[in-house]
Amino acid sequence: MSSTLAGWLQALALVGALALCYRPLGDYIAKLLTSAKHLRVERGLYKLVGVDGDADQRWPVYLRSVLAFSALSILFLYGLIRLQGHLLLSLGVPEMEPHQAWNTAISFTTNTNWQSYSGESAMGHLVQMAGLAVQNFVSAAVGIAIVAALIRGFTRNRTDRVGNFWVDLTRICLRLLLPISIVFALVLVANGVVQNFHGFHDIVTLGGDTQSIPGGPVASQEVIKELGTNGGGFFNANSAHPFENSTGFTNWLEIFLLLVISFSLPRTFGKMVGDNRQGYAIVAVMGLFWVASAALITFAESQHSGTALQAAGGAMEGKEQRFGIAASGLFAASTTLTSTGAVNSFHDSFTPFGGGLTIFNMMLGEIAPGGTGSGLYGMLILAIVAVFVAGLMVGRTPEYLGKKLGGREMKFASLYILTTPALVLIGTGVAMALPGERAGMLNSGPHGFSEVLYAFTSASNNNGSAFAGITVNTPWYDTALGLCMVLGRFLPMVFVLALAGSLAQQQPVPATPGTLPTHKPLFVGLLSGVVLIVVGLTYFPALALGPIAEGLH
């Protein structure tokens, strides 16, 4: 079987598996977000922390709960990393420097999982389990909780309540993320992914040399790393490491895990608003961008111009032989279109246009299907903009799902859209203006610029992957990228929750013959155009200086 045919079969199997999960998983998430019943263990947790599980919160209170929880998570993880040399299962690993510990704590709390360190040599097992893996669960749950509050803004009328953050967080972790993670962690272990408490073992290689082989609780972290669209690897090589991603099947399974919740959430949206067709329209746009990106990256990496590429059958530099071009391109597209950031190949070694597409995927806001929760609320913001544009075309007040979109709503949507580009472009500009930070680039010219652009795009969009050629473990980069992660995560949440509160206070208006149908192919095309024009073209000058210039050269 040719590698091209194998790639097509993998992609088709992935589409089939995601389609099978779309309805049952989406309906299940909708049920757990709308149920009035609490599990006994949930009631015990609410009592322990002093939360009334039956009391809904106003959007400012919901926001304060999110920010307070995240701030405490950052402080706890920072302290754990700084003290790890004195903790059990530290494996003799010393504590991190303050600037790197700050960057890492923020990275995992914001669902970015950017790593300026080598996991097997910088983290002990206790920090991996009690610090990083825990944040993989709760940061993913926070994203789903935010989109749940936004959907309630569409479904509720004349109220200032958008749900209870503590209830949402608890249910998502206990009823969704944890059960799925347990099942698929066992599947990964059965297929060769490591799960133990070993430290480093010295072995003698076939050549007679000595090599230290690390172990650890890998499978349990690997599964939630993908399922929660986190991306932080137990090892420096991430999902290219055979202990994290052992076979072609585990590679396929990890791509499935990082997509399944985000692709099912549009069904949750349709179920909660009472019109499943709305979910189909949203998932159609997500699917179009995902298929197009995977096909274009694979095509770019499969070109045979040059003697080495002809001999290898494609651009194999930086790719695992056991995965090949197709599986690497599919993984790259999926991880950069979500907020996962896991990699099974190194994007810095991609062809100029292949690497440029990975940057462009993140620049779109990671909405196809995006991170757990964050992808859907990003797409819904763009859907609001699309409805507003359509309203301007026909000269009537825009309405989406029975809610009018006035000046207040559009201000929140506009601020959401402008936040991330501002962080990416300002951060990249400042880095390129500082001679000391330019020296961190491994390459000069357009490719070196792409390394810096990729870093700030990844941090600001909470992705976490990197063009590996750039040296970022410096006080300036750790601080600057940490700020981008914090602002890129929480400023959009402020605008989303404010929008949810504004929508919830409205009285719905009945649909009329002039109302734009937002479940038909026309709207799918309009929304796709808005994504490309409003978001994508914002970054065109920066892309022209980096991957486009390199590719044309």
Side-chain angles (χ1 to χ4, degrees), residues 78-142:
Y78 177 82
L80 199 64
I81 295 170
R82 291 285 290 145
L83 295 172
Q84 72 166 336
H86 306 284
L87 302 175
L88 296 173
L89 299 176
S90 68
L91 307 181
V93 176
E95 60 272 9
M96 279 187 174
E97 292 296 320
H99 59 85
Q100 193 175 27
W102 135 273
N103 182 278
T104 304
I106 286 176
S107 175
F108 278 80
T109 303
T110 58
N111 200 245
T112 309
N113 301 75
W114 172 273
Q115 294 173 287
S116 60
Y117 60 88
S118 175
E120 60 264 49
S121 61
M123 292 291 178
H125 290 346
L126 183 65
V127 174
Q128 293 273 20
M129 293 185 296
L132 307 187
V134 169
Q135 288 307 313
N136 285 348
F137 279 94
V138 295
S139 64
V142 167

Side-chain angles (χ1 to χ4, degrees), residues 490-505:
F490 297 115
L491 274 182
M493 287 184 177
V494 172
F495 304 131
V496 169
L497 290 175
L499 177 62
S502 179
L503 293 172
Q505 291 176 346

Side-chain angles (χ1 to χ4, degrees), residues 390-462:
L392 292 179
M393 291 179 179
V394 299
R396 59 171 286 127
T397 303
E399 303 162 5
Y400 188 42
L401 301 178
K403 298 298 180 75
K404 290 187 176 182
L405 304 177
R408 178 181 174 85
E409 289 76 22
M410 294 313 302
K411 287 175 184 175
F412 291 138
S414 299
L415 289 170
Y416 177 96
I417 291 173
L418 292 172
T419 296
T420 306
L423 294 172
V424 172
L425 299 177
I426 292 173
T428 303
V430 172
M432 295 303 296
L434 299 174
E437 311 317 321
R438 290 201 304 273
M441 301 185 307
L442 179 64
N443 297 277
S444 59
H447 193 83
F449 176 79
S450 295
E451 291 174 352
V452 178
L453 179 63
Y454 195 112
F456 281 95
T457 303
S458 178
S460 302
N461 286 279
N462 303 128

Side-chain angles (χ1 to χ4, degrees), residues 181-182 184-196 216-226 234-235 243-244 254 257:
S181 295
I182 291 173
F184 283 101
L186 295 174
V187 175
L188 290 177
V189 171
N191 284 275
V193 177
V194 170
Q195 182 73 16
N196 56 48
V218 180
S220 56
Q221 184 160 322
E222 186 72 14
V223 66
I224 188 58
K225 154 192 155 182
E226 311 294 6
F234 197 96
F235 301 106
F243 286 1
E244 288 194 36
E254 290 183 16
L257 288 173

Side-chain angles (χ1 to χ4, degrees), residues 26 28 358 383 404 447 488 552:
Y28 174 72
T358 64
K404 290 187 176 182
H447 193 83
L552 294 177

Side-chain angles (χ1 to χ4, degrees), residues 281-323:
I282 295 296
V283 81
V285 178
M286 291 177 170
L288 285 173
F289 279 100
W290 175 68
V291 170
S293 176
L296 289 172
I297 290 177
T298 302
F299 174 78
E301 297 306 298
S302 300
Q303 297 311 293
H304 299 169
S305 57
T307 304
L309 300 189
Q310 288 176 0
M316 282 299 296
E317 180 186 351
K319 298 180 179 65
E320 280 290 308
Q321 183 67 38
R322 66 185 191 277
F323 299 143

